[in-house]
Amino acid sequence: MPYWFLAAFILGFLLDLLLGDPHGFPHFVCAIGALIARLEKLLRRIFPKTKGGERAAGAVLVLCTVGVSALLPLSLLAALWRVHPLLALLPELFLCWQIPAVKSLRLESMKVYQSLQGGNLEEARYNVSMIVGRETQNLSAEGVTKAAVETVAENSSDGVVAPLIYTALGGSVLGCVYKAINTMDSMVGYKNERYRNFGTAAAKLDDIVNYLPSRLAARLMILAAYLLGFDGRNARKIFKRDRAKHASPNSAQTESVCAGALDVQLAGDAVYFGELHHKPTLGDPIRPITPEDIPRACRLMYVVAFLTMLLGIALRLLLIEVIF
């Protein structure tokens, strides 16, 4: 039976590659996002509007969200398992399909590429605004391209490597917990006036759970750069030099590798919620960044996904041998 759940893990990954996240289809992350939004409204009413009160409210949000994201799939799988083990395979497969975001990340970033290729900068700005947190309305074509490449690089870690590794280690339940933490960070983990205190717990927890996966993702991306014939040597060099040049301990890990692999410069100043944030650059401008770097970054991400899947299978087989 453990091997059936390994099959669900593999098939879920393949379904994500083939189908992605169909629009309008029920999705675990959408449900968790709705829960987070409602909990935020409730907790802000309950807790005092002080620094300590907002931090306490944010901590309760984390506890509730993580608890629900663990208990709901665990309860469902346990109930079906008691009826018959094979019945638990369907929700396990369904969740394993929804946990990674490989195809969706490629599709959304390629919309930006297609708009740039068509010379429609306004459309490109809108499309990139769907996948980044910064303000995009004043970005140049180069700025839009950099934003798209950066989000593919960063999400190669928290949208591909981390969810696959956690799912390999703990099945769909642990995968769902990770996705809930990541979703919380994307919704409330901002350092602006509204979330500076309320989002502290969510941001810190996201940093913790992504610490090891982001470093694994960076090393897998260096290997992917060599396999694809990109500048693997420069990827390794820039990773060593620039991986700590970010306020987050994790974001620059894969972004620095991607910048080195493509021989371009990424990051730099950006505007979030009307506020200019000064950020160091990553990589060297060996050549100007072009829209073609978006599909190149996607190819890096796909190879990283396959390498992670192979590693995940090995981890799951090792766990089966140890436990069973």
Side-chain angles (χ1 to χ4, degrees):
M1 187 55 64
Y3 292 100
W4 283 101
F5 282 85
L6 172 61
F9 174 60
I10 297 170
L11 288 173
F13 173 73
L14 294 176
L15 282 173
D16 177 63
L17 292 183
L18 290 171
L19 304 176
D21 299 324
H23 290 289
F25 198 70
H27 200 289
F28 171 80
V29 170
C30 294
I32 286 295
L35 173 67
I36 293 167
R38 291 180 182 178
L39 281 173
E40 179 185 351
K41 291 180 182 178
L42 174 64
L43 292 169
R44 285 187 182 276
R45 288 200 300 265
I46 294 173
F47 284 82
K49 293 176 175 57
T50 62
K51 178 179 178 179
E54 289 191 352
R55 289 199 171 193
V60 173
L61 173 72
V62 168
L63 290 172
C64 292
T65 304
V66 170
V68 169
S69 64
L71 289 174
L72 282 182
L74 182 61
S75 299
L76 175 62
L77 290 168
L80 291 173
W81 182 276
R82 282 194 291 268
V83 177
H84 194 284
L86 287 177
L87 288 177
L89 281 175
L90 187 59
E92 178 75 8
L93 172 59
F94 182 77
L95 291 171
C96 285
W97 166 25
Q98 296 198 336
I99 288 168
V102 181
K103 184 171 184 179
S104 293
L105 181 57
R106 179 184 177 276
L107 287 176
E108 295 304 315
S109 61
M110 288 301 289
K111 288 180 183 178
V112 181
Y113 169 73
Q114 289 157 7
S115 297
L116 289 170
Q117 287 294 90
N120 193 333
L121 181 56
E122 285 301 316
E123 184 181 78
R125 287 169 174 165
Y126 172 78
N127 286 333
V128 82
S129 74
M130 296 293 101
I131 56 175
V132 300
R134 74 192 66 178
E135 293 181 11
T136 63
Q137 63 267 30
N138 296 316
L139 289 179
S140 63
E142 179 184 350
V144 169
T145 303
K146 284 175 63 176
V149 170
E150 287 165 20
T151 200
V152 171
E154 182 179 358
N155 282 283
S156 294
S157 174
D158 58 19
V160 179
V161 174
L164 285 173
I165 291 298
Y166 280 114
T167 305
L169 293 173
S172 63
V173 174
L174 189 57
C176 286
V177 169
Y178 171 78
K179 292 295 286 188
I181 294 169
N182 193 241
T183 303
M184 268 192 298
D185 181 63
S186 69
M187 292 179 68
V188 306
Y190 296 102
K191 293 182 179 179
N192 56 20
E193 185 177 351
R194 178 175 176 81
Y195 290 114
R196 184 168 284 109
N197 295 312
F198 185 85
T200 297
K204 293 293 185 185
L205 182 57
D206 186 75
D207 285 345
I208 292 168
V209 299
N210 279 298
Y211 189 85
L212 292 177
S214 65
R215 284 148 181 80
L216 171 63
R219 287 160 174 83
L220 291 176
M221 189 174 283
I222 292 171
L223 176 57
Y226 279 109
L227 292 174
L228 286 168
F230 294 163
D231 196 342
R233 185 175 181 180
N234 194 45
R236 188 167 175 268
K237 169 191 167 184
I238 299 301
F239 168 66
K240 287 185 173 182
R241 191 191 75 187
D242 293 351
R243 59 184 174 179
K245 289 184 179 180
H246 203 288
S248 163
N250 303 321
S251 295
Q253 301 291 321
T254 47
E255 285 187 40
S256 61
V257 175
C258 187
L262 300 180
D263 291 330
V264 299
Q265 190 171 77
L266 298 176
D269 296 348
V271 178
Y272 296 86
F273 302 102
E275 183 180 343
L276 177 63
H277 289 251
H278 296 286
K279 300 164 63 177
T281 56
L282 305 174
D284 299 319
I286 297 172
R287 62 172 182 82
I289 194 166
T290 70
E292 292 299 326
D293 288 309
I294 298 174
R296 290 188 187 109
C298 288
R299 290 199 290 276
L300 271 174
M301 182 261 295
Y302 261 71
V303 175
V304 167
F306 278 102
L307 292 173
T308 307
M309 190 61 191
L310 293 174
L311 179 59
I313 292 170
L315 287 172
R316 179 60 71 91
L317 288 171
L318 179 61
L319 285 174
I320 290 172
E321 290 297 318
V322 170
I323 295 172
F324 297 94

